[in-house]
Amino acid sequence: MQIGLIGLQNSGKTTLFNTVSMNSGESNRTVVRVPDTRLDELTKLFNPKKQINATLEIIDIPGLQLSDEGKVKITNDFLSKVKNNDALFHIVRQFENESVPHPEGVVDVIRDIQFLETEFLLSDMTLIENRLEKIQKEIQKTKNEQVQREFPVFKKLQEHIETELPLRDLVFDENERRVLSGYQFLTLKPLLIGINFDENSKNSVDKILEEIKSSFPNSNFLIIPFFGQFEFELSQLSEEESSIFMSDFGITESALNRILRTLYQLLGLQSFFTVGEDECRAWTIKVNNTAQEAAGAIHSEFYAKFIRAEVVHYDEYMKYGSFTKCKEAGVWRLEGKEYLVKDGDILNIRHS
């Protein structure tokens, strides 16, 4: 799954990318581990040869440029790069720094969020109108069933987007989702907005977040505050040094960990675990995937040759401490292929 990192110039977007990728920014693409304390605990218990976390791919989409008139401009190249992502992470600047000027001259979180939301709405609106025009022409020429199925779905999109609200607010049934699967609507993509504060703004975080929520009451995106420069400095320290650094700052966990977990959940993803002497591993599946689909994530042959899944949830395993005791307590069980895997399940797949 791919996350597109977007934002205006000097928002701290690339600093955050360098923090998660642990490099100086030679590449704009990185694969990062999703932190999971449950997997860490299982690794301590089983002491395997290796631990394998779930991962996300993050793309640093080049910052929006200024036109000759000094205004931020949206290019077709930028929009096409944004469309290729499964979700978007929009970095918005709240920090003040005279040596790093804001492209609009003044820091204004609400304005910056609105700017990209509006541009994405206009892009989607154009795509919807153009497609509707083609659909109507095709319906007049032919009775193509696929085209006829598209028409009510695109009318639904058009009626909604003309209210200037993003498509991610809409609820779609399975047939509608199938119709839309080949289209890359920008305001339909899951969106996380990261507000980049400086260390002197700790006391204004709650106030700013409330202002954003009240300004966008129906926009259906997630918001997360972070301190970009602090996170970058933290990433350069050893584990012991970073613990002291965080303690001095008054936090118990890096915002980076929360950001990565939030992005993972934003994509509708969850993890199940396999454990043993060779490895403890978090496997990525969609929420509401079945045991058979989870088996297929491990190996394609396991899907076809699935028999049963041995299942115990992480919380239950940690409570009883071993598979034997879990069996005795009745929390270890066998499930069939239709079982809906829960986030944190520990699975052992039986297959032919």
Side-chain angles (χ1 to χ4, degrees), residues 215-282:
S215 297
F216 301 92
N218 302 309
S219 288
N220 197 20
F221 51 64
L222 298 179
I223 309 168
I224 197 163
F226 71 101
F227 301 89
Q229 190 59 37
F230 173 84
E231 292 292 331
F232 179 74
E233 292 170 5
L234 193 64
S235 71
Q236 308 301 304
L237 302 175
S238 68
E239 191 172 331
E240 183 179 349
E241 289 172 325
S242 65
S243 295
I244 297 170
F245 200 39
M246 284 192 294
S247 178
D248 290 343
F249 198 65
I251 58 175
T252 57
E253 182 187 36
S254 162
L256 188 59
N257 288 355
R258 289 189 290 111
I259 286 170
L260 293 172
R261 286 199 303 269
T262 302
L263 288 170
Y264 193 69
Q265 293 161 3
L266 186 71
L267 287 163
L269 303 177
Q270 63 178 4
S271 295
F272 72 90
F273 306 117
T274 55
V275 295
E277 292 180 0
D278 286 334
E279 68 176 33
C280 286
R281 181 166 183 162

Side-chain angles (χ1 to χ4, degrees), residues 185-196:
F185 293 108
L186 296 176
T187 67
L188 193 53
K189 294 182 183 297
L191 174 65
L192 175 64
I193 293 182
I195 310 300
N196 188 4

